[in-house]
Each structure stands twice: as C-alpha cells, then as structure tokens.
Amino acid sequence: MPETRPFDPFHSERLIYRAVNDEPADIAFIHSIQRDAEAQSGSSYSLLKPESIKASTEFKSHIEKCLLGALICLPATRLAEKDKETLPIGIVCLKASPPSHAHHRSSDISIDIAKEYRGQGYGGEAIRWALWYGFQMAGLHRISIGTFSFNTGAMRLYERLGFVNEGRHRESMWFNGGWHDHVVYSMLEDEWLEDQRKAGKEV
C-alpha cells in the first residue's frame, strides 16, 4: 500500500500554527506585535496610542473568540531555544461572524508578522494556510482581507495570492496628516478550488 502522511492541519511548508497559551511568554509576544506602530497603522482604524500589557492581555481574549486564532510559529531549532517547541513570529485570525450571520459562511483574515520576520514569505504562507483552513475545515464560502492604500506591498501580495479586488472605501482613514482609502479584497470557495487544481494540489 502507498505510504500516507499523517493528517496535520496545523502545519504548512515552513510554519506551525498553535493556540495562544496563558503564559507570560505568549502575552509578551502579543504585546510586542500590538505595540508595533508600523504594523498597527496598516491594519486598524483605531487611533494609535501606546499599548499597555492590560490591552495586550485583552487582545488575547479577542484571538481566542475568533473562528480561527493562532500564533504563527517557526520550529524552535536554535540551541538557545532547545527547551521550546515553537518560536512565535506572528498572529493570524479568521474573524467569527455573529450567530445571526453564520449562514452567510463568510469571514475576514487579519494577519500580523513580527518586524524581523517580514519580507521572507511567511505572511503569504500563513494566508494561504488560513484560506485552506477556512474553506476546507470551516466550510466557508467567502473570505475577505483588506488594507489601506498606502500599504502597496500588502496589495501586491493579496493580488499575487489570487484575491479579487472588490473596490475601496474612499478616504475612510485619517492617518499621519492625510486621508487614505480602505482597499477590500476577497476570495470565493470556487476560486480557491480552481487555484488548487491549477497548482496540481489535492483538495
């Protein structure tokens, strides 16, 4: 009989995805992500202000309430981390719909990658995994993702991953002395399946 690999839904090619643990190291990592002004300015309408440990702890509860909320991790292979199984480098979430909207089978992706790990393809890999999880495991029909018009790198990434540009909310964000559009992308289940078939992947 042909050898089959064990089913492991919480791995992608280079990354491991795990829950946020109720321990100081995970809270400290969330805090480091949440206080990164560059990252937060590109992903949130909220007015930037210094991030407290209390606010980061509360954000942990938000992650846990998502349809999917996971730390994006690398295997901890360095000698200094020999007592750890994983090294967190980011956070990915599929937001939960309220119960009255659940029949629409739709969600939004949010993603943050720690500054020192950006530009290495980890964000794209984690988004591809979240798409797989959303469509194959959670039974979603539509997944959306958005960014602001000054974040041209994010827009290029989303288009390269196969998201369709749905349009923009014009000048909906005031940031750093100017108005910026919120650009909205989405992918449907059939579009994702077609991309998988073209790539020769089994689904």
Side-chain angles (χ1 to χ4, degrees), residues 40-145:
Q40 296 311 312
S41 66
S43 63
S44 173
Y45 278 103
S46 299
L47 184 65
L48 284 178
K49 56 186 179 181
E51 178 80 1
S52 67
I53 291 289
K54 179 182 177 182
S56 296
T57 304
E58 291 171 354
F59 186 70
K60 172 183 176 290
S61 298
H62 163 76
I63 296 171
E64 293 170 336
K65 291 175 183 176
C66 287
L67 177 67
L68 165 71
L71 292 183
I72 304 164
C73 301
L74 290 171
T77 56
R78 287 182 289 185
L79 198 59
E81 292 144 3
K82 62 184 178 181
D83 59 330
K84 300 178 183 178
E85 294 182 359
T86 60
L87 174 67
I89 64 166
I91 303 168
V92 64
C93 296
L94 284 169
K95 299 174 185 176
S97 298
S100 60
H101 292 186
H103 60 293
H104 298 306
R105 294 167 54 198
S106 179
S107 184
D108 302 297
I109 294 178
S110 65
I111 185 164
D112 288 299
I113 300 291
K115 183 178 294 186
E116 58 268 37
Y117 295 99
R118 291 176 201 153
Q120 300 176 53
Y122 295 129
E125 182 175 337
I127 291 171
R128 284 192 294 271
W129 175 79
L131 289 167
W132 170 83
Y133 184 95
F135 291 129
Q136 289 290 96
M137 301 297 287
L140 296 177
H141 175 68
R142 178 182 184 276
I143 297 176
S144 62
I145 195 167

